[in-house]
Amino acid sequence: MSNTLSDHHADAEAMGIAAVERDTGIAKDTLRIWERRYGFPAPLRDPRGERLYPPDQVDKLRLMRRLMDQGKRPSALVRLSTEELAALLDRTEPGAIETSRSTRKAALLQLLRLHRSNELRAALHQLLLKQGLQRFVADTLAPLNECVGHAWMRGDIDVPEEHLYTEQVQNVLRSAIGSQTAAGGRPRILLTTFPDEQHALGLLMAEAMLVPEGAACVSLGTQTPMSDIRSAATAGGFDIVALSFSAAFPSRQAIEGLNTLRAMLPPEIAMWAGGAAVRGKGRRLEGVRVIEDLNDALTALHEWRTEHRS
């Protein structure tokens, strides 16, 4: 039997694939790959053949995304029920959703819920001034990102609030990075993501860790074709190409793309890759330095400078 609206009398709240991508942060191509590979999600079809995802499937995808952020593999998660996924999330990160444990996090989340964007940005900026850029990113933003993600997953905040949070964090980081950027630093690092990877916050956080160390960072933004990455890296005289991968990006696709790009680049240009999709995958990436966390980015920078000291 075909999976159509008329067959299933689908709920009017079923979402199109673009809306599901915005809601869950899982790329459209990833959803299609999972559909073929795992049989989930199993979208309905409208009269034009376009995919429509019922609310229960979207709920499961939200839970999968949060667990993938913690390094869980989609192949293992897709077999679990929504209830089992929620229980697994509670076991793996019981403290991540307890915002009352942190007055600071609770206060920022309240500003987010109330859509007080100016006050939220001012509060983030004040924390930045008190902590300094690197500590702000590693000690405040990284755990706050997790807190916001879990609040969204639990329904405490909606997608617009999550987008508002991301926008304000990016504004604060871009301003801080711009005030510290110095010309002529080494290494020269080109930052970007592959096509289908829309998440830019990881790039900004990495840049915010590296710029205070005197590295010269240039970002191409997100979703850059490999041929353009190669052209920019070689023409711009960059020492390192650094790419970020969110948990929503398929690990196999990331590994294949990184190995392909490595072969396209001159050997003297180093490659770094960070984010949940490539964490722990260093053995499958010859010639690519996998950045395991934000502090490891500083270790990688030190290693590069030691190797290239003249």
Side-chain angles (χ1 to χ4, degrees):
M1 188 188 325
S2 61
N3 218 26
T4 65
L5 284 172
S6 57
D7 292 329
H8 290 270
H9 305 288
D11 194 301
E13 295 181 359
M15 300 169 63
I17 193 169
V20 173
E21 180 183 54
R22 291 192 299 269
D23 188 298
T24 65
I26 301 174
K28 289 182 283 189
D29 283 350
T30 301
L31 293 169
R32 298 187 188 102
I33 290 170
W34 288 357
E35 182 182 335
R36 293 194 302 269
R37 184 175 298 166
Y38 306 127
F40 179 85
L44 308 173
R45 298 281 180 163
D46 69 10
R48 295 178 299 175
E50 299 294 332
R51 290 171 171 84
L52 287 174
Y53 297 80
D56 60 331
Q57 294 189 28
V58 178
D59 289 342
K60 181 172 178 177
L61 289 167
R62 289 177 184 140
L63 289 165
M64 288 179 63
R65 177 203 167 183
R66 298 315 311 160
L67 286 160
M68 288 165 58
D69 285 345
Q70 309 310 314
K72 301 293 189 298
R73 297 175 63 86
S75 57
L77 299 175
V78 74
R79 297 191 293 268
L80 302 178
S81 68
T82 301
E83 293 74 18
E84 289 170 328
L85 291 169
L88 178 59
L89 186 62
D90 286 340
R91 291 196 301 273
T92 54
E93 289 203 348
I97 60 172
E98 296 172 7
T99 57
S100 61
R101 294 177 59 185
S102 168
T103 303
R104 177 188 301 162
K105 291 179 185 177
L108 292 171
L109 280 177
Q110 183 65 8
L111 292 175
L112 188 59
R113 293 187 187 102
L114 296 174
H115 287 224
R116 294 180 178 174
S117 56
N118 291 335
E119 293 176 54
L120 175 62
R121 182 174 181 178
L124 291 170
H125 184 66
Q126 184 178 19
L127 287 170
L128 168 65
L129 293 176
K130 289 174 62 176
Q131 297 177 326
L133 182 54
Q134 289 173 314
R135 184 181 163 202
F136 172 70
V137 170
D139 296 346
T140 294
L141 276 191
L144 185 59
N145 289 349
E146 293 296 324
C147 187
V148 169
H150 278 270
W152 164 78
M153 186 278 298
R154 295 295 178 185
D156 294 336
I157 62 174
D158 296 325
V159 173
E161 284 79 39
E162 188 185 30
H163 290 174
L164 184 152
Y165 168 77
T166 301
E167 180 182 1
Q168 295 307 318
V169 168
Q170 290 178 344
N171 288 339
V172 169
L173 287 180
R174 287 192 179 104
S175 177
I177 290 168
S179 68
Q180 297 201 22
T181 300
R186 293 288 305 276
R188 284 176 48 78
I189 304 175
L190 185 68
L191 299 110
T192 190
T193 72
F194 282 159
D196 301 324
E197 176 55 86
Q198 303 179 42
H199 297 84
L201 189 53
L203 291 176
L204 275 172
M205 292 174 70
E207 187 175 357
M209 295 295 289
L210 296 166
V211 165
E213 301 294 323
C217 296
V218 175
S219 177
L220 294 179
T222 60
Q223 304 192 80
T224 306
M226 286 190 200
S227 58
D228 292 348
I229 298 174
R230 177 191 59 191
S231 298
T234 54
F238 285 92
D239 302 301
I240 299 167
V241 170
L243 299 110
S244 175
F245 299 90
S246 67
F249 198 90
S251 292
R252 180 180 297 179
Q253 185 178 339
I255 291 167
E256 291 175 354
L258 287 166
N259 285 328
T260 299
L261 182 60
R262 176 66 279 177
M264 294 169 63
L265 290 173
E268 63 270 16
I269 298 180
M271 276 184 60
W272 294 356
V278 296
R279 190 172 296 127
K281 303 295 193 300
R283 287 181 295 181
R284 300 172 62 185
L285 291 165
E286 184 175 355
V288 179
R289 172 64 158 86
V290 173
I291 308 298
E292 299 294 342
D293 55 38
L294 289 167
N295 289 316
D296 191 37
L298 301 183
T299 302
L301 179 63
H302 174 74
E303 292 171 352
W304 186 91
R305 284 175 169 165
T306 299
E307 182 180 350
H308 293 83
R309 186 176 294 147
S310 58

